[in-house]
Amino acid sequence: MIRVESLTAGYGKLEILQGLSLAFAEGQFSAVLGPNGSGKSTLMKAIMGVNTIFGGSIQLKGRELVGLRTEDISKMGIAYVPQRENIFSEMTVLENLQLGVRSLPRERRQEALDELLALFPILGRRQAQRAGLLSGGEHQMLAIAIAWLSRPSIMLLDEPSAGLAPAVAGDVFRVLQDLRRQDITLVVVEQNARRILQYCDYAFVLREGQLAFEGSAKACLNDEETIKGYLGVHEGAALAGRDPTRP
């Protein structure tokens, strides 16, 4: 669905991605993993046209995205949930959601809100609350819900479990599984490899701006060399169910 070919991208004159090529399949829940600085978030921003692209191609179903404005890319059915600044903290939950439905025809707005609150019941119980007072998990649910309101065919999420307790992160990942069942293609950048590999279908591991591994989530979990070499020894021990503090 999204094909990246020989992509070199970064910020200003700094190149982070180094000739990266990969493809995200339609209807798949894909995780983008790797150590800090490997280019995971840079890839998401490059797809959305918000950083510097030095060369290469990004195509959505054969249509070139490089050179398009971010708002035009969004209109093509791609929703992006950044790690930070993804809600309006001073507004209530309901006001945030009402902003999210403004692009829909007026007669569809209430129906869309009703569908959303069925999918995210916690937000229904927090409608009158100021968004800045939400817990970390509720905050992420709201950000994901706002993106879902645009009825995207693809959702890009940058570190949705950042700072969340393991149980809360699991709630977020289960919501993403529900969205995948709606035929939404998901691409999720994550540091928490151990958890997301239990939920996603496919994994890409980046290192120093290049593709180090790709394969099914199961294959990634079972590939000891990839886990230790690219995701860290401690992550590999946790994936294997061992205590990383013991030899």
Side-chain angles (χ1 to χ4, degrees):
M1 193 170 200
I2 294 181
R3 180 170 296 277
V4 175
E5 295 183 348
S6 303
L7 180 66
T8 299
Y11 309 92
K13 296 182 179 180
L14 178 64
E15 297 181 359
I16 304 296
L17 299 179
Q18 306 285 337
L20 178 67
S21 295
L22 51 78
F24 299 115
E26 186 170 2
Q28 192 165 261
F29 182 170
S30 299
V32 181
L33 311 173
N36 288 333
S38 59
K40 303 184 301 297
S41 296
T42 302
L43 173 59
M44 300 295 99
K45 293 174 181 176
I47 293 171
M48 295 305 300
V50 296
N51 56 7
T52 304
I53 296 178
F54 301 98
S57 172
I58 305 172
Q59 296 183 5
L60 172 63
K61 294 185 176 180
R63 181 175 177 183
E64 184 61 57
L65 301 184
V66 173
L68 297 182
R69 298 180 303 171
T70 299
E71 52 265 40
D72 294 328
I73 294 171
S74 297
K75 290 175 183 177
M76 296 170 68
I78 303 179
Y80 174 49
V81 182
Q83 183 179 354
R84 299 181 179 87
E85 299 179 1
N86 50 24
I87 64 171
F88 293 98
S89 298
E90 297 303 315
M91 299 172 64
T92 67
V93 169
L94 181 58
E95 288 169 340
N96 271 272
L97 296 176
Q98 288 172 333
L99 282 177
V101 297
R102 284 194 309 175
S103 61
L104 298 178
R106 187 176 298 274
E107 63 274 12
R108 280 279 296 121
R109 295 177 185 177
Q110 188 57 51
E111 180 184 353
L113 284 174
D114 291 342
E115 290 177 13
L116 180 143
L117 295 177
L119 184 62
F120 301 90
I122 186 61
L123 299 181
R125 298 192 290 272
R126 299 285 189 270
Q127 289 185 63
Q129 184 171 323
R130 187 161 64 85
L133 299 178
L134 295 175
S135 69
E138 292 165 351
H139 179 127
Q140 287 293 44
M141 294 288 190
L142 178 58
I144 294 169
I146 293 170
W148 178 86
L149 281 171
S150 68
R151 292 297 195 267
S153 56
I154 305 170
M155 291 182 69
L156 312 177
L157 300 99
D158 194 352
E159 302 275 10
S161 76
L164 302 183
V168 179
D171 291 339
V172 171
F173 293 149
R174 281 188 287 274
V175 165
L176 295 180
Q177 282 187 321
D178 289 339
L179 297 184
R180 180 189 173 281
R181 295 186 188 103
Q182 298 180 8
D183 296 324
I184 298 175
T185 300
L186 298 172
V187 180
V188 183
V189 166
E190 259 300 325
Q191 285 288 349
N192 194 342
R194 180 174 64 87
R195 292 304 301 276
I196 198 165
L197 286 170
Q198 298 171 17
Y199 295 91
C200 68
D201 306 309
Y202 205 81
F204 299 86
V205 180
L206 304 188
R207 186 179 188 185
E208 297 180 354
Q210 298 180 326
L211 184 64
F213 172 93
E214 72 167 288
S216 69
K218 183 177 180 180
C220 189
L221 281 167
N222 293 334
D223 191 320
E224 197 73 16
E225 182 178 350
T226 294
I227 294 300
K228 289 184 177 180
Y230 303 127
L231 299 180
V233 173
H234 290 279
E235 186 69 65
L239 283 165
R242 298 192 299 271
D243 182 351
T245 66
R246 299 183 64 180

